[in-house]
Amino acid sequence: MVLRHRLREMATALRLGRVRALEADRATALRESARQVAHELKNPLTPIRFAIARLRRDAPEPLHETIDVLEVESLRLEEMARSFAQFGRLPEGPRAPVDLGEMVRSVARSAVPQERPIVIGVADDVPMVPGHVDALGRALTNVLLNAVEASSAGAPIAVYVKRTKRNGRSMVEVAVRDEGGGISATRLERIWEPYVTHKAGGTGLGLAIVRQTLLAHDGLVEVESAPGQGTTMRLLLPAEPPALDSRGENGR
């Protein structure tokens, strides 16, 4: 009985290991593709911007509307290139202590329109977390922008930061709650996948960047949603750096 139980555990561990290895290989290939796309998009954008500026200076009045269209579309391409570039790279360099409460307040000021009601709650006992503040700020920005887009103009957005535990680990949770239309179960299964989007003109990389960033910080992301009931996104980060083994390597 004990032997069968151990064998089942070993088989499960091997199966999970293969799945994780395949997912890691797929993520690496997708990041490399994203880097190449970002590079190819960026190359022509500089001469396009110069050409638009010259046209705006020299073109007659009847062409100004056409120039406006060119400028809007070039800005859209720039934003797309930035999204591909962000997805194509993992956070690099040493981690530093990050105050998630302060980061939430700062990101909310820039990502949420001033007229939109927002509630921010930060627990008193929230510790600093080791991380890359720029990458985490970009991930939180993506989540907040999604919350703004998902809900009506007067609907409030709530952000809470608190201590929690997952699988015995001490973690800090940043939860973003909106009162939008929610996400169906079939869509919910694929929201973290790159290039999957239901937005016109979207790249499908926003939430993929969020997930990639959290995994790179030894954390995880969770979502709770249902049609007509809004959505809650949870970003979970370990309150302590990952344990090192006897060789000084990450034990994971």
Side-chain angles (χ1 to χ4, degrees):
M1 181 70 72
V2 173
L3 180 59
R4 280 202 300 270
H5 180 68
R6 292 285 175 84
L7 286 172
R8 280 198 298 270
E9 285 185 340
M10 289 175 61
T12 299
L14 285 170
R15 187 167 59 254
L16 287 173
R18 284 196 294 270
V19 169
R20 287 170 182 160
L22 287 171
E23 185 176 347
D25 289 344
R26 179 171 177 266
T28 300
L30 287 171
R31 283 197 298 271
E32 180 57 34
S33 296
R35 281 194 293 268
Q36 292 176 5
V37 171
H39 179 72
E40 293 300 323
L41 281 173
K42 286 178 179 178
N43 277 344
L45 281 172
T46 298
I48 287 173
R49 282 197 301 269
F50 288 147
I52 290 172
R54 183 173 179 179
L55 282 171
R56 189 171 293 284
R57 186 177 64 246
D58 300 336
E61 180 70 28
L63 289 178
H64 283 188
E65 187 174 341
T66 301
I67 295 168
D68 289 341
V69 172
L70 290 173
E71 187 164 37
V72 167
E73 291 304 310
S74 67
L75 289 173
R76 188 176 67 83
L77 285 174
E78 284 184 33
E79 182 58 36
M80 190 180 295
R82 276 193 292 271
S83 294
F84 280 110
Q86 286 177 22
F87 181 70
R89 67 175 186 268
L90 291 171
E92 297 178 345
R95 301 179 190 182
V98 178
D99 184 334
L100 288 179
E102 181 56 34
M103 188 185 79
V104 164
R105 296 184 186 97
S106 174
V107 171
R109 284 194 294 269
S110 60
V112 179
Q114 193 170 8
E115 65 275 10
R116 176 62 64 95
I118 183 166
V119 177
I120 298 176
V122 181
D124 293 334
D125 62 344
V126 173
M128 307 279 272
V129 301
H132 300 88
V133 67
D134 289 340
L136 291 173
R138 286 193 295 269
L140 180 59
T141 296
N142 284 337
V143 173
L144 283 171
L145 290 175
N146 273 6
V148 170
E149 292 174 1
S151 47
S152 59
I157 293 170
V159 188
Y160 297 103
V161 186
K162 66 177 185 178
R163 294 185 73 120
T164 189
K165 281 189 176 292
R166 288 293 187 280
N167 301 320
R169 289 197 299 167
S170 177
M171 307 192 86
V172 177
E173 172 186 313
V174 179
V176 178
R177 168 75 185 171
D178 69 60
E179 296 182 5
I183 306 170
S184 66
T186 53
R187 282 180 54 198
L188 207 56
E189 295 175 355
R190 303 192 64 197
I191 62 170
W192 307 112
E193 293 183 23
Y195 312 126
V196 175
T197 182
H198 294 271
K199 299 177 186 177
T203 61
L205 290 175
L207 291 179
I209 291 170
V210 172
R211 182 174 183 269
Q212 175 176 276
T213 301
L214 270 290
L215 291 178
H217 283 81
D218 309 297
L220 61 148
V221 287
E222 297 175 349
V223 60
E224 180 182 332
S225 186
Q229 298 180 24
T231 300
T232 300
M233 295 271 182
R234 295 186 179 90
L235 315 183
L236 295 125
L237 290 156
E240 303 292 339
L244 301 180
D245 62 20
S246 59
R247 295 167 298 174
E249 298 176 350
N250 189 322
R252 290 183 53 183

